[in-house]
Amino acid sequence: MAKKDLIIRLGGEGGEGVVSAGDFIAAACARAGLEVYTFKTFPAEIKGGYCMYQVRCSADRVYNQGDTFDVFCAFNGEAYEMNKHLLIPGSVFVYDGPGGDFEPEIPEGVTAYPIPMTKTAQALKSKRSKNMVALGALSALFNIYEGTLKEVLTKKFKSKGDDILEFNLGAFDEGKKLGEALTKVDDYKVAVPKDPGDVIIISGNEACGMGAVLGDLDFFSAYPITPATEVAKFVAEHLPKKGGTLLQAEDEIASIAQVLGASYAGKKSMTATSGPGLALMSELLGMSTMSEIPCFLIDVQRGGPSTGMPTKHEQSDLFIAIHGGHGDSPRIVMSVEDVKDCIDMTVEGLNLAEKYQCPVILLSDGSLAFSTQTVPAPNTNDFTHVNRKRWDGTGEFKRYELTDDNISPMCDPGTPGGQHIATGLEHNEAGAPRYGGADRVKQINKRFGKLETVEASCKPTEVDGEGDADLGIIAWGSTIGVVREAVQRLRDEGLKVKGFYPKLMWPMPVGQYEAFAKSCGGNILVPEVNHQGQLAHFIRSETTIKPISYPISEGLPFTPSMIVEKSKEVL
Ligand code: COA
């Protein structure tokens, strides 16, 4: 079957502009009407170290970064060394030469195009523009739309100064000439676009920020941490325009305390952080549970623990998200599959926090954080906003009143007759401290009891496939996109495989898991990017299913072929 997509990988050193070049290709393809999915990985250092950017574009929907590349463009010798084992017959290799810092050996069956990137940039007296020489050559070789490329280039560099824009456009043209001078012998080129429709191209982090603004947020407080910082960056730019407030706190503990304070004052509030920040916030999440103050938090997971691998992908905060609290502290935990989800589920997370008056944690991850994808432009009218149950001013106000749905009305400070104590101490219905006995039991049952309807409030878990299957694959987070493609490939080979893609991680929709596993004869595979197989652990502890755990932890996402191979092994 002819390949419908094109995967271009760029590799070089931090500081060489690999990320910008990749962003330009992705934006140009998206603007021209293609579906785009990108993946980048870079070191924790600001300058130096191996940097990689992969763009997958297609006229059809793409769900992940793909298995490997069709075209690899190496900016330096290190990038070549890191990727030379992937230069297989049929692939194309564009590299900095002659005049680069390496002399590659071209394997048989690989098409190589040398482009003197460094030499050309030096001749133009602008070392910085090496990436633009490469971009011009790639544009010529693979038909990447010159018009849209120049548009996005101009948009980016104009803000840096006319001289910078000019030397970059010049370098692009030089690169284009170099590309055109080569005899093209491969068949790869960017697909013919369809009607672009009303789409935007944004990263997972920007999409979380957009969801916050679309979700009617009033207040955001955060402390910067890789890979979550861009969520706050987006909110800082857009929330104040809507009358909201963003505060950069002095640390994560202060930021979650400010979120609770603003939420107590009646404002929809949230924060965004990564694993170490979530760990610091855990004491105050207990306060949110006990005092029933709505609190929404996005955790953009990274390789942990501690400083770990801050710029690398991992899905290893499920344990802390679900059970990382002192005492019996129920909360709602959800996860996102892709950039579109980052918008939609941020709105949903804010709504659930308001409805259930408890901590709600949304798990994103390092790969999604920086992945740019095409998504339909969101329309404000597509979203519903839930506001907390508020006291209607009649009768005696009891902040922790026992109700049928275990959710008590709240009352903004200053409301006449609504004086109450919002407290981290155990309490009675009025909020007065109680250190045990019947009130303790009633209140703890209330805090757990109100979450019994969460499953019914959320969309049912998506089941990919119908009828019975020989194997079921359960995936969460950005691994879902990889599994979607793997399931399709396995089915194309005649194998009976289904997928199950939970987004509500806790409370666990146990009945839905059981029904899925039953339809797959109990044969369940759970691939996830953490060492312990954290979802597999919860499946074992909460259901009767005995899953086969498939954990990986090298700081990279799965590829569809890894899932295909493992599935065949299991089958
Ligand atoms: N002409 C002028 N400016 C150019 C350029 C060109 N031809 N090409 C790139 N640039 C600019 C970019 O616009 C960008 O500036 P901006 O930040 O104002 O947008 C800057 O140079 C960096 O280039 P970019 O392409 O984005 O990055 P890179 O491929 O050189 O890689 C990073 C460098 C981004 C990976 C690295 O600097 C970094 O940030 N590492 C991560 C650090 C981190 O998060 N650590 C975690 C600590 S816990």
Side-chain angles (χ1 to χ4, degrees), residues 15-20 43-46 128 131 156 160 168 226:
E16 282 190 311
V18 168
V19 171
S20 297
E45 291 75 30
I46 299 296
R128 202 82 185 81
N131 57 346
K156 175 79 186 183
K160 291 182 184 267
N168 277 307
T226 301

Side-chain angles (χ1 to χ4, degrees), residues 12-24 40-53 75 126-133 153 156-157 159-160 164-165 167-168 171 225-227 229-230 233 302 307 309-311 370:
E13 189 179 83
E16 282 190 311
V18 168
V19 171
S20 297
D23 276 342
F24 291 141
K40 50 187 127 165
T41 173
F42 47 83
E45 291 75 30
I46 299 296
K47 213 155 190 277
Y50 172 62
C51 218
M52 184 275 262
Y53 195 116
F75 282 43
S126 62
K127 231 179 97 191
R128 202 82 185 81
S129 62
K130 178 175 171 183
N131 57 346
M132 293 303 115
V133 177
L153 248 158
K156 175 79 186 183
F157 289 129
S159 61
K160 291 182 184 267
I164 293 180
L165 173 63
F167 81 64
N168 277 307
I225 182 168
T226 301
T229 306
E230 293 76 17
K233 206 172 150 213
R302 67 189 212 183
T307 13
M309 305 193 292
T311 56
F370 303 122

Side-chain angles (χ1 to χ4, degrees), residues 123 191 299 411 484 516 569:
D299 170 19
C411 189
R484 280 186 196 279
F516 175 74
E569 188 189 309

Side-chain angles (χ1 to χ4, degrees), residues 103 209 244 267 325 369 418 493 502:
E103 276 301 328
K267 302 292 178 193
E493 290 187 39

Side-chain angles (χ1 to χ4, degrees), residues 69-72 80 83-95 104-114 185-186 188:
F69 51 78
D70 302 308
V71 176
F72 174 52
Y80 164 66
N83 290 276
K84 64 181 184 190
H85 65 289
L86 296 171
L87 290 169
I88 52 169
S91 59
V92 173
F93 181 39
V94 180
Y95 65 95
E105 276 170 38
I106 311 300
E108 216 179 309
V110 171
T111 304
Y113 297 120
V185 289
D186 69 282
Y188 292 118

